[in-house]
Structure formats: structure tokens, C-alpha cells
């Protein structure tokens, strides 16, 4: 079972009290964007076999969204950070770089 | 290829069964092929089969990173049905079901297609109405289904509890010619047929890159060296986004785990397939007597071929009200597969942004039933370079055009 530390309430939350919310840091496209951009935003996903930046909801806890960095192949969790951050914090990226668990370079 | 028959069985029984040959040949890659198919699951093998059968194209290689049929084709709960809501779906799934009816004879390989009937339970007023709508839609498309009463359902499956306090059974959608088949045999049967006409099936051969010339693929790079080709089609289910990335584009697909389990074998209690969509569980009894049970998919991206344990528990818990006897059964095995989900829960059979690369993916939790029909449609697309009637609605473009083929609302469980 996946376990993440909620960056707000600091509890270690089990997967059963969380709801997954898919790829993080998508830039919302709407009126004024091209059809292609709108399509990319709505449908196209990185869906990597490797490091994934994603959103989770602490639904049976504090009820807030937050970010998780996780490997989709090994299920290793590299860290969590708040939903207000538009980019992953350097601290977590450094951990990811150190712990590349399957030999693939991270961009 | 030696034909399997009652006669060959008798002959071999006098020969200590030493005369059987390997069902398909293990091959090493040649320098080049007309068509390379990536992924030796049911859909990839069926595509190779119909390329040969319908278009006479036999200069084909099927590349597989693991072992033949080791992906979702060997991991599913084998439900075959075609009672979909949308016209485009009904067309391809019903074509597939029809091909299944005679597949054993056609391939000279027993795929154990068992049209024992598929019963979909209606456990809420809303679901009852939705199923009636599906039933009417099916009638228009020529798919044979009827609505049946709870009393009739109890008659057909005496062990079912129709008076559950939480989810009583209000009716059912019955497809008499739906059923199950032996999943491995479907892959093996197609493999044997294509191998007999010289198609190379190359296992332990992962595609790790491609070489492009302008907007055309010229060769694929594999763990067994470079192989050049005129056309390439990838049919890799849960790994579709990874293959697309290698080819230089992205897909509207996400990979998640779907799990199933079987119980210890028991005496026959249920002679058809039962699907309970509201509670996300479905069940059939295998010929060995095991109850084969599957549930809903996990909600997060996953490539580990393992799912969350609580989903197994949820699935079983959901079925206990309707089938109290399963609470006393022991679980024998449990496993997971990585399925490729699209937003509208319909597949993609399509050209791609690269001129001579074709794509078959997005079958998600329900593509076993579609193997023959999908192979048929994909072969046509690859051979002609343009989709035929069956494949055309399932193009990648449909997302951009807002032309969804929405099966996600139609059937909460898509298997
Ligand atoms: C638990 C479970 C239950 C299911 N139940 C049902 C059901 O009851 N009814 C139903 O209709 N469907 C069901 N499905 C769905 C069904 O199994 C799939 O839709 C179907 O098997 C997909 O077949 P495929 O040939 O596309 O993929 P697969 O059988 O997964 O084949 C893809 C192959 O591609 C290979 N591959 C991947 N990447 C590469 C690469 N880079 N190079 C070379 N090879 C590669 C993989 O190793 C794999 O063997 C279920 C699925 C699961 C997991
Ligand atoms: Zn919290």
C-alpha cells in the first residue's frame, strides 16, 4: 500500500485515505489557446514508466490537494509538497537524482 | 504445421506422444521486414494473422519484450461480450464475438470459446434504466440481448441472492452468446497459425528506440539489434505511452493496474458469467471449478504489474451480498496487469503523427473480447495505410475533434 506524508497535516496517510488526481503541473489552457494546446491540456499525458509528478487529495484527512513525486515502476516515493508550489522543490529533485533506481536519466 | 485432429490424437497415443511438434518456431530477427509488429499479445498476433489471411502479407515479424502472451492477454478474466451502448463499439465487438464463434475451427486450435451467456445485474433503479437503454441500442445494432427478471435470474443461478438489503437485484441484461474463452490458447493459436506461414515471432526482444528518416520510421532498435521495416505497428497495451515517447509523440492514455483473483476449485455453482457493475465486481466459474473474480482498476499511474491490495478486498466485499457463498472460499491466486486507459474508455486504432507508424492501444480493462475483431481492423489499417469501416471511428483524432465514443458512462465496469 502506498503511504505519503501529507505536507499540511504531516500525518503519514495510507492510500485508502487518499484519492489520486493524476499528472501534476499541467498548464490550464482555455479561451485564446490553439486547438492543439487545448487538446494537449485536456488529454495528452506523459504517463512515464519512471518518475511521475502527480496530485493526490487527502480526502479522508484534511481534505487538501498536494503533490507527490513517485516512481511508477518501483513505487518508490521521493517526497511530497504543497499544491501551491508550481514547480517541484529543489530538495526533492536532488533526492530523485541521487536515487535513480532504474538507470534512466531524468530530464 | 501438422493438423490437430481426433486422428492425430489416436496416432500419437500409440507413439507415446513423442511426435507432437512445437506449436510455433522461436526465431531470431532477420535484417528487415515489410511490417514489424511490436507486442506479442493477442492483439499484435491477431493483427499479424489477418495481415496474412486477408491481405497476403507474410513478411512480418512480431517482437515481444517478454514472453508471448505474458502481458494482459495472459492475465485477464476472459469475459467476451458485445453488448456495448455506442454503435461504433457494438460493430467492432460484435465482429469480434462472431469471429470467436468459429476461431477454434479456423485456427485448428481449441481456444475453448464457451458462449455460456453473460448476465449483467441491475442493482439500482438508475442502472435498470441504463441497461434497458443499452438493450434497445443493442437491438438496433443487431446484437442479441434481452432484459430478464430477477425471478428468471434466480432460476438460472439458484445460488444468487436477489434480495440483498443494500443492492437488491432489480433485473438483468442477458447476452446469451457472450461467454469466455481460454486466454492463453487465443494467443497460442494465432501464434501457431502465423508461424506456420513464416512470420517470425521473436521473444525477449524489447524495442528500445526507433530510427526515423524525415517523418518515416526506417528501423527499430531492439535488444537483439536493429531491424529495418517499411511499416511498424505497436500493440503494447500498458506500455503504449513508453513506445509513443520513443516515436516522438504523446498519447491520451494512462497506465493503471487492474487485478483479478481465483478461488479454490469447487463444484459447479454458476454456469454463466455475472457482472455487477454498480459494485464493480464480476465473476465466472472456470472449467476447473475456480471462481474467477475481477474488480475495478486502481486510480493512479502504475507500471509495476501489481495493484493495491485493498482493491482485492473491496471487490470481494462488494460481491458477498449477492453471492454469500464466496465469503467462505479461500483465495488461490491473485495477480495484476497494467492496462491502458483512455478518457472515453474506448480503444485507439489509428495512424499516428509518424507517417508509417500505426497504433493499436487503449483497450483498457476490456480488450480480450476484442482480439479477433481488433486484429482484423488493425490489419486493414496497416495493409492499406487507411482505416476501414471498423477502425475509422477509433482514430487518435477523435479526442481533438470531440468525437468521443463514450463507454465510460455506459458501463461502469468495462471488462
Ligand atoms: C486483471 C485483468 C482482467 C481483465 N479482464 C478482461 C475481461 O474479462 N474481458 C476482456 O475483454 N478484457 C479483459 N482485460 C483486458 C485485456 O486483458 C486486454 O485489453 C488485452 O489482453 C490487451 O491485449 P494486447 O494484446 O493489446 O496487450 P498485451 O497482452 O498486454 O500485449 C502487449 C505486449 O507488448 C509487449 N511489449 C510492451 N512493450 C514492448 C516493447 N517496448 N518491445 C516489445 N514488446 C513490448 C508486452 O510485453 C506484452 O506482451 C483484463 C485485463 C486485466 C489486467
Ligand atoms: Zn492532510
Amino acid at each position: 500500500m502506498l503511504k505519503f506524508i501529507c505536507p499540511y497535516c504531516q500525518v503519514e496517510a495510507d492510500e485508502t485515505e487518499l484519492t489520486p488526481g493524476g499528472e501534476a503541473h499541467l498548464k490550464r489552457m482555455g479561451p485564446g489557446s490553439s486547438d492543439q494546446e487545448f487538446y494537449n491540456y485536456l488529454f495528452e499525458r506523459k504517463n512515464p514508466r519512471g518518475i511521475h509528478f502527480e496530485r493526490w487529495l487527502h480526502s479522508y484527512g484534511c481534505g487538501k490537494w498536494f503533490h507527490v513525486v513517485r516512481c511508477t515502476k518501483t513505487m518508490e516515493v521521493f517526497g511530497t509538497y504543497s499544491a501551491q508550489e508550481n514547480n517541484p522543490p529543489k530538495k526533492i529533485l536532488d533526492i530523485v537524482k541521487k536515487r535513480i533506481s532504474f538507470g534512466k536519466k531524468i530530464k | 504445421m501438422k493438423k490437430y485432429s481426433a486422428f492425430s490424437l489416436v496416432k500419437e497415443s500409440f507413439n507415446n506422444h513423442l511426435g507432437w511438434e512445437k506449436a510455433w518456431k522461436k526465431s531470431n530477427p532477420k535484417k528487415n521486414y515489410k511490417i514489424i509488429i511490436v507486442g506479442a499479445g493477442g492483439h499484435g498476433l491477431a493483427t499479424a494473422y489477418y495481415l496474412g489471411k486477408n491481405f497476403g502479407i507474410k513478411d512480418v515479424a512480431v517482437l515481444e519484450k517478454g514472453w508471448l502472451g505474458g502481458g494482459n492477454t495472459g492475465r485477464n478474466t476472459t469475459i467476451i461480450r458485445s453488448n456495448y451502448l455506442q454503435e461504433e463499439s457494438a460493430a467492432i465487438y460484435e465482429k469480434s464475438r462472431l469471429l470467436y464463434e468459429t476461431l477454434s475451427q479456423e485456427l485448428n486450435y481449441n481456444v475453448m470459446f464457451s458462449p455460456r451467456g453473460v448476465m449483467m445485474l441491475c442493482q439500482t433503479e438508475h442502472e435498470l434504466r441504463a441497461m434497458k437503454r443499452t438493450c434497445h441500442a443493442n437491438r438496433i445494432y443487431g446484437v442479441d440481448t434481452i432484459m430478464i427478471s430477477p425471478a428468471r435470474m434466480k432460476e438460472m443461478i439458484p445460488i444468487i441472492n436477489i434480495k440483498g438489503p443494500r443492492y437488491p437485484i432489480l433485473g438483468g441484461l442477458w447476452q446469451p452468446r457472450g461467454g469466455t474463452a481460454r486466454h492463453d490458447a487465443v494467443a497460442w493459436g494465432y501464434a501457431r497459425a502465423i508461424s506456420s506461414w513464416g512470420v517470425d515471432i521473436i521473444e525477449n526482444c524489447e524495442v528500445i528506440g526507433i530510427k526515423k528518416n524525415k517523418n518515416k520510421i526506417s528501423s527499430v532498435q531492439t535488444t537483439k539489434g536493429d531491424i529495418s521495416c517499411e511499416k511498424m505497428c505497436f500493440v503494447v497495451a500498458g506500455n503504449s505511452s513508453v513506445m509513443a515517447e520513443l516515436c516522438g509523440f504523446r498519447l491520451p492514455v494512462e497506465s493503471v493496474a487492474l487485478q483479478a483473483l481465483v478461488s479454490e476449485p469447487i463444484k459447479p455453482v454458476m454456469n454463466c458469467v455475472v457482472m455487477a457493475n454498480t459494485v464493480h465486481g464480476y465473476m465466472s466459474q472456470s472449467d476447473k471449478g475456480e471462481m474467477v473474480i475481477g474488480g475495478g482498476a486502481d486510480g493512479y499511474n502504475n507500471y509495476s504489474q501489481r495493484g493495491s491490495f485493498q482493491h482485492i478486498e473491496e471487490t470481494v466485499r462488494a460481491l458477498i451480498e449477492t453471492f454469500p457463498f464466496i465469503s467462505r472460499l479461500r483465495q488461490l491466486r491473485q495477480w495484476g496487469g497494467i492496462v491502458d486507459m483512455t478518457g472515453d474508455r474506448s480503444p485507439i486504432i489509428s495512424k499516428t503523427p509518424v507517417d508509417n507508424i500505426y497504433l493499436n492501444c487503449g483497450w483498457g480493462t476490456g480488450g480480450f473480447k476484442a482480439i479477433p475483431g481488433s486484429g482484423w481492423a488493425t490489419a486493414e489499417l496497416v495493409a492499406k495505410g487507411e482505416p476501414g469501416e471498423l477502425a475509422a471511428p477509433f482514430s487518435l483524432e477523435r479526442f481533438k475533434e470531440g468525437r468521443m465514443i463514450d463507454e465510460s458512462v455506459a458501463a461502469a465496469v468495462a471488462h
Side-chain angles (χ1 to χ4, degrees), chain A residues 1-2 15-16 20 22-23 35-36 39 43-49 52 54 56 70 72-73 75, chain B residues 65 206 238-239 241-242 245 250-255 299-304 308 310 396 399-400 404:
Chain A
M1 180 174 304
L2 290 169
E15 191 185 322
T16 42
E23 186 177 326
D35 283 356
Q36 184 65 40
Y39 161 75
F43 297 107
E44 266 192 10
R45 293 295 174 263
K46 288 189 190 134
N47 190 26
R49 186 167 68 199
H52 194 230
E54 57 193 15
W56 285 78
R70 182 176 60 89
T72 59
K73 199 182 169 189
M75 294 290 139
Chain B
K65 79 173 163 127
E206 179 173 1
N239 285 294
S241 296
V242 180
E245 192 78 36
R250 280 200 183 138
L251 294 174
V253 163
E254 294 200 84
S255 302
Y300 56 88
N301 301 56
N302 185 348
Y303 282 88
S304 73
S308 295
Q310 79 268 11
L396 253 181
F399 297 94
K400 207 178 293 179
M404 308 309 165

Side-chain angles (χ1 to χ4, degrees), chain A residues 6-11 58 61-64 66:
Chain A
C6 172
Y8 304 105
C9 42
Q10 300 298 333
V11 299
H58 196 185
C62 63
K64 287 181 183 154
F66 61 96

